[in-house]
Amino acid sequence: QVQLVESGGGSVEAGGSLTLSCAASGSFFSIGKMGWYRRGPEVGRDPVAVTTVTGPPTYADSVKGRATISRDDKKKAVTLQLNNLKPEDTAVYYCNADLQVFGGRWTSAWGQGTQVTVSS
């Protein structure tokens, strides 16, 4: 059983900053891709920032220059720093990670989601 637990959401005024954190726990051997997605008023989860084991992180155009994703594989964690927040950043943010579990297979795990609300 694997679990991703997020923290750090909340309400902030436009122009402010937030740091979202996510920690993985449970039985797994390796962590692959880790990322943050968000779901706003529209349906679907859109990628915000994704980091892989190798290669540079990728960011949605809407957050480029305002977001920084970082991972700490020793702590099995990933964080997302969001600066200069805008009302359109309001959404539920989800952590996602590809985890290698028993038997060598990979599973994609999701956190429960954390609300970010930006007021103008």
Side-chain angles (χ1 to χ4, degrees):
Q1 192 78 2
V2 296
Q3 188 177 17
L4 299 180
V5 178
E6 300 135 339
S7 61
S11 297
V12 64
E13 293 184 351
S17 299
L18 278 177
T19 299
L20 306 181
S21 299
C22 172
S25 63
S27 299
F28 57 91
F29 301 103
S30 297
I31 305 175
K33 173 174 62 69
M34 304 183 81
W36 288 91
Y37 295 71
R38 66 186 181 189
R39 181 172 63 195
E42 304 295 329
V43 297
R45 293 179 188 178
D46 297 321
V48 178
V50 176
T51 178
T52 59
V53 177
T54 60
T58 58
Y59 298 93
D61 288 342
S62 58
V63 302
K64 279 182 180 176
R66 302 189 295 119
T68 302
I69 187 171
S70 59
R71 61 188 288 164
D72 187 332
D73 286 347
K74 288 185 178 179
K75 295 182 178 179
K76 305 173 185 178
V78 62
T79 62
L80 179 67
Q81 172 77 34
L82 291 169
N83 300 317
N84 189 22
L85 283 160
K86 304 176 180 180
E88 50 264 42
D89 293 318
T90 295
V92 178
Y93 285 70
Y94 297 88
C95 174
N96 171 260
D98 292 339
L99 305 173
Q100 188 177 29
V101 297
F102 182 79
R105 67 180 179 87
W106 288 84
T107 185
S108 181
W110 290 91
Q112 78 282 3
T114 184
Q115 177 70 46
V116 171
T117 302
V118 184
S119 58
S120 57

